[in-house]
C-alpha cells in the first residue's frame, strides 16, 4: 500500500477529534489522563498530526480551559473548536466538527479523543480508500474500518452537504452515518479501532 503519510492528499481533508465529553463514567477529565508520557488527548492529537491532513481540529467542551492550558500543540495545522452543547452528547461534537469542513467542501476524517490505540496503517488505509471513492462518486460517502465485523474509527466522510450536517442535531452519530447514501466498511486486523476508554478500570487495564 502506498504510504500516504509522505504525500500531500489529493483532496482537501481535515481531521476532527471528538473530545468534548463529560467523562461521567470516568469520574475525572479523561482527556488529561496520563498516557505514554503525556496526556491521552495530547497523544491522540500527535498521532493524528502524523497523517499530514490539511488541518487537525480537536472539538472540546467539558473542562475546555484546563485542557487548553495543559495541552500545548506547536503545529500550525492544529486548532481547537469549542462545543458549547457538549452536554448533549457526542453527536453535538460531530456536528460542531463537520461544520468546520462543510462550507469549505472538504473531506473529513473523524477520530475519538479517548481512542489512542488505532494503528497508523489503519488510518492511512481509510484515507486511501476514502480519497479514491470521493473522486469516483459525487454523492455523500462514509468509509470506516471494522474489526470482527464491528465498525470503529476513524470514519472518513466526503461530499457531505450542510443539510445533512444539520440533521445530526436531531439524531445520534450512528444514525447519521446510516443516512449516508454510500457506506463502506473495511475489515482490518486492528482491535484498536474499537478500544475507547470510559472507566478507570478500562484505563488501568489498557494503558
Amino acid at each position: 500500500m502506498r504510504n500516504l503519510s509522505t504525500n500531500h492528499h489529493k483532496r482537501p481533508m481535515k481531521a476532527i477529534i471528538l473530545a468534548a465529553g463529560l467523562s461521567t463514567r470516568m469520574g475525572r477529565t479523561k482527556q488529561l489522563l496520563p498516557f505514554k508520557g503525556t496526556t491521552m488527548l495530547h497523544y491522540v492529537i500527535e498521532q493524528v498530526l502524523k497523517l499530514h491532513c490539511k488541518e487537525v481540529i480537536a472539538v472540546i467542551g467539558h473542562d475546555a480551559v484546563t485542557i487548553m492550558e495543559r495541552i500545548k500543540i506547536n503545529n500550525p495545522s492544529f486548532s481547537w473548536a469549542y462545543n458549547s452543547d457538549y452536554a448533549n452528547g457526542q453527536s453535538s461534537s460531530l456536528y460542531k466538527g463537520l461544520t468546520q469542513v462543510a462550507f469549505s467542501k472538504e473531506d473529513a476524517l473523524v477520530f475519538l479523543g479517548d481512542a489512542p490505540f488505532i494503528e497508523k496503517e489503519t488510518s492511512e488505509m481509510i484515507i486511501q480508500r476514502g480519497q479514491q471513492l470521493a473522486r469516483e462518486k459525487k454523492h455523500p460517502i462514509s468509509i470506516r474500518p471494522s474489526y470482527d465485523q464491528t465498525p470503529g474509527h476513524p470514519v472518513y466522510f466526503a461530499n457531505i452537504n450542510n443539510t445533512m450536517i444539520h440533521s445530526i442535531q436531531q439524531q445520534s452519530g450512528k444514525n447519521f452515518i446510516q443516512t449516508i447514501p454510500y457506506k463502506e466498511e473495511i475489515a482490518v486486523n486492528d482491535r484498536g479501532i474499537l478500544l475507547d476508554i470510559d472507566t478507570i478500570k478500562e484505563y488501568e487495564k489498557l494503558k
Side-chain angles (χ1 to χ4, degrees):
M1 182 183 71
R2 179 170 60 89
N3 187 350
L4 288 175
S5 65
T6 59
N7 294 273
H8 292 293
H9 306 303
K10 292 183 178 180
R11 287 177 61 92
M13 179 186 62
K14 293 182 180 179
I16 300 166
I17 303 171
L18 308 182
L22 288 160
S23 306
T24 304
R25 293 171 60 191
M26 182 67 68
R28 55 188 290 196
T29 303
K30 62 182 175 181
Q31 296 92 327
L32 298 177
L33 287 172
F35 189 85
K36 293 193 175 183
T38 180
T39 62
M40 184 160 60
L41 179 55
H42 194 164
Y43 179 82
V44 171
I45 292 168
E46 292 292 352
Q47 299 311 301
V48 175
L49 282 168
K50 292 177 182 178
L51 298 171
H52 297 283
C53 300
K54 179 181 178 182
E55 186 178 351
V56 175
I57 303 166
V59 181
I60 54 175
H62 172 67
D63 218 0
V65 172
T66 303
I67 289 171
M68 287 189 290
E69 288 176 347
R70 291 275 307 276
I71 299 177
K72 302 297 184 182
I73 305 295
N74 185 24
N75 190 309
S77 298
F78 176 77
S79 63
W80 299 104
Y82 179 67
N83 172 22
S84 59
D85 296 322
Y86 63 87
N88 291 326
Q90 193 178 90
S91 61
S92 67
S93 292
L94 179 61
Y95 170 77
K96 179 69 176 182
L98 289 182
T99 56
Q100 308 295 306
V101 301
F103 295 103
S104 53
K105 297 183 179 179
E106 294 170 316
D107 298 354
L109 188 65
V110 178
F111 293 84
L112 301 180
D114 60 352
F117 300 103
I118 299 169
E119 295 176 5
K120 183 180 179 184
E121 291 76 11
T122 297
S123 297
E124 289 175 342
M125 184 185 300
I126 297 302
I127 292 171
Q128 185 179 50
R129 182 58 175 158
Q131 294 252 315
Q132 177 188 352
L133 283 173
R135 290 191 297 268
E136 294 175 357
K137 300 180 182 296
K138 301 301 181 184
H139 49 67
I141 66 169
S142 71
I143 313 295
R144 64 192 312 190
S146 67
Y147 177 85
D148 196 21
Q149 299 184 332
T150 303
H153 285 81
V155 185
Y156 192 104
F157 294 102
N159 305 326
I160 305 296
N161 59 52
N162 293 327
T163 301
M164 294 187 70
I165 291 173
H166 284 295
S167 74
I168 298 174
Q169 295 175 299
Q170 282 75 50
Q171 59 189 321
S172 66
K174 183 181 296 185
N175 289 338
F176 168 68
I177 291 176
Q178 295 306 312
T179 67
I180 295 175
Y182 185 87
K183 298 174 288 294
E184 190 171 295
E185 294 179 7
I186 300 176
V188 297
N189 188 27
D190 178 6
R191 187 165 173 257
I193 70 167
L194 305 178
L195 296 178
D196 57 349
I197 299 173
D198 290 320
T199 66
I200 286 290
K201 185 176 181 180
E202 290 174 348
Y203 168 66
E204 294 295 341
K205 179 180 179 181
L206 294 173
K207 72 175 182 177

